[in-house]
Amino acid sequence: MPGLMGFDIWVIAAAIVLIVILIAGVKTVPQGYNYTVERFGRYTGTLKPGLNLIVPIVDKIGAKMNMMEQVLDVPTQEVITRDNATVSADGVAFYQVLDAARAAYEVRGLENAILNLTMTNIRSVMGSMDLDELLSKRDEINERLLRVVDEAASPWGVKMTRIEIKDIEPPADLVAAMGRQMKAERDKRANILEAEGMRQSQILKAEGEKQSQILKAEGEREAAFREAEARERLAEAEAKATAMVSEAIAKGDIQAINYFIAQKYVEALGDIASADNQKVLMLPMEATSLLGALGGIGEISKEVFGRDGGGSKSRTVSANRKADTVSARAKPPVNPWETGGEG
């Protein structure tokens, strides 16, 4: 009986040990993680998320690697640019472990290695640029950093997904100088725009004057053409009138000569009356004979434009009589002192 009890104890103990060994050989890996397996200190495999079995006692879990994308803050550091300006810059890096075994066994202290690699390349990339480029080409800086750091970290089984420069702080005196430079640049642009506006205004004004002169010249040319045309028509009318008067003279009509004499007489009197320095007009005694000439002109007009030619002679005699009557009336009385009489 005591022997049976001892056997039972051994069975129970063996069962307990077996259960413990089986439990030790079952491993559960959470989602987003990979576990490395080591056998006697040597890497043998990687456990994926879920339920996994290993050889108890012989195998053990090595490194528990986070396979999710992780963020790493890059602390502020001083950077000297290519034009010897000192600026402070910080950033942030995003990375993801793609190979748990290489991330665990190719580098010691993965986060520290990525951080130092990023800070070193920030100084290299930003130090190769001028201050103006540094402030205006941040996307280019981020792209160059990502390319360089990702290439350097790829042997570690790590993928650099993004690197961003958060802040770039130049010194205070440099910021003030940049403000003055910006103000001067804006003043320069304003002056250039103002000068361009004045130049454009002068060009438009000159174009307007040019167009005005062209239109004026065209107007003067048109006026000269009209005036020449009027003179031509007047000359034609004069020639026609002269031809008609000459024809009348050839037919023996003496009044045609009176027409020319009266016309010239009237034109001369008109010129004398319209002179600027003429204030008083004194007509000679013979001026009354002008009325007779006017009568002759009327007779010529009636002969030229009259309806019938039979009564032209009687009308001419009547007009001459009327002209003689008017001339007699217009003559002044005889001065008795001129004839020798006593007053």
Side-chain angles (χ1 to χ4, degrees), residues 31 42 61 66 110 119 121 129-130 142 144 149 169 180 235 252 279 287 308 331:
Q31 183 66 35
R42 182 175 177 272
I61 300 300
N66 187 346
L110 179 63
M119 293 178 65
N121 282 277
M129 304 175 69
D130 293 333
N142 296 335
R144 290 176 60 183
V149 176
E169 296 182 359
R180 292 193 300 270
K279 302 302 180 181
D308 55 346
K331 290 182 179 180

Side-chain angles (χ1 to χ4, degrees), residues 11-254:
V11 171
I12 294 171
I16 293 173
V17 171
L18 182 59
I19 292 172
V20 171
I21 291 174
L22 290 176
I23 293 174
V26 176
K27 298 297 180 182
T28 302
V29 180
Q31 183 66 35
Y33 283 83
N34 280 357
Y35 291 174
T36 61
V37 179
E38 298 177 356
R39 178 172 295 174
F40 302 114
R42 182 175 177 272
Y43 169 76
T44 58
T46 302
L47 301 182
K48 303 297 182 179
L51 186 64
N52 296 271
L53 297 177
I54 63 174
V55 179
I57 301 173
V58 177
D59 295 339
K60 68 174 184 177
I61 300 300
K64 299 179 179 181
M65 302 304 299
N66 187 346
M67 306 300 291
M68 297 179 287
E69 187 173 2
Q70 303 176 64
V71 59
L72 186 64
D73 286 328
V74 180
T76 303
Q77 59 179 333
E78 299 290 333
V79 179
I80 300 176
T81 62
R82 186 170 58 186
D83 52 354
N84 296 325
T86 303
V87 298
S88 299
D90 58 357
V92 60
F94 296 86
Y95 69 95
Q96 184 177 11
V97 177
L98 301 180
D99 191 338
R102 287 194 296 171
Y105 301 110
E106 293 292 337
V107 61
R108 181 181 179 87
L110 179 63
E111 289 190 358
N112 188 40
I114 294 175
L115 178 61
N116 283 277
L117 184 63
T118 303
M119 293 178 65
T120 302
N121 282 277
I122 285 176
R123 287 194 296 268
S124 299
V125 172
M126 296 179 67
S128 63
M129 304 175 69
D130 293 333
L131 180 61
D132 293 338
E133 296 177 342
L134 203 66
L135 297 175
S136 61
K137 298 182 179 180
R138 189 166 300 192
D139 291 338
E140 181 180 346
I141 296 173
N142 296 335
E143 190 271 333
R144 290 176 60 183
L145 282 174
L146 180 61
R147 185 177 65 252
V148 173
V149 176
D150 181 63
E151 183 180 356
S154 59
W156 303 337
V158 176
K159 172 65 178 177
M160 303 301 301
T161 58
R162 194 160 190 168
I163 298 178
E164 296 284 345
I165 299 296
K166 292 195 297 184
D167 194 14
I168 299 176
E169 296 182 359
D173 55 346
L174 191 57
V175 172
M178 291 171 60
R180 292 193 300 270
Q181 180 183 0
M182 181 181 65
K183 183 177 182 300
E185 188 69 24
R186 291 185 181 275
D187 292 340
K188 174 184 175 182
R189 292 179 183 177
N191 293 332
I192 291 175
L193 290 177
E194 183 178 359
E196 285 291 337
M198 294 179 63
R199 174 175 172 270
Q200 191 67 22
S201 175
Q202 293 176 356
I203 291 175
L204 293 177
K205 184 178 179 181
E207 287 290 339
E209 292 178 354
K210 174 184 175 182
Q211 192 67 22
S212 175
Q213 292 176 359
I214 291 174
L215 294 176
K216 182 179 179 182
E218 291 180 354
E220 291 178 351
R221 184 183 66 178
E222 185 68 20
F225 176 77
R226 298 292 184 184
E227 185 178 357
E229 186 178 4
R231 288 198 300 268
E232 181 180 357
R233 292 183 179 179
L234 180 60
E236 291 177 357
E238 290 281 347
K240 185 176 181 181
T242 303
M244 294 177 66
V245 172
S246 299
E247 184 179 355
I249 295 173
K251 291 179 180 180
D253 190 355
I254 196 63

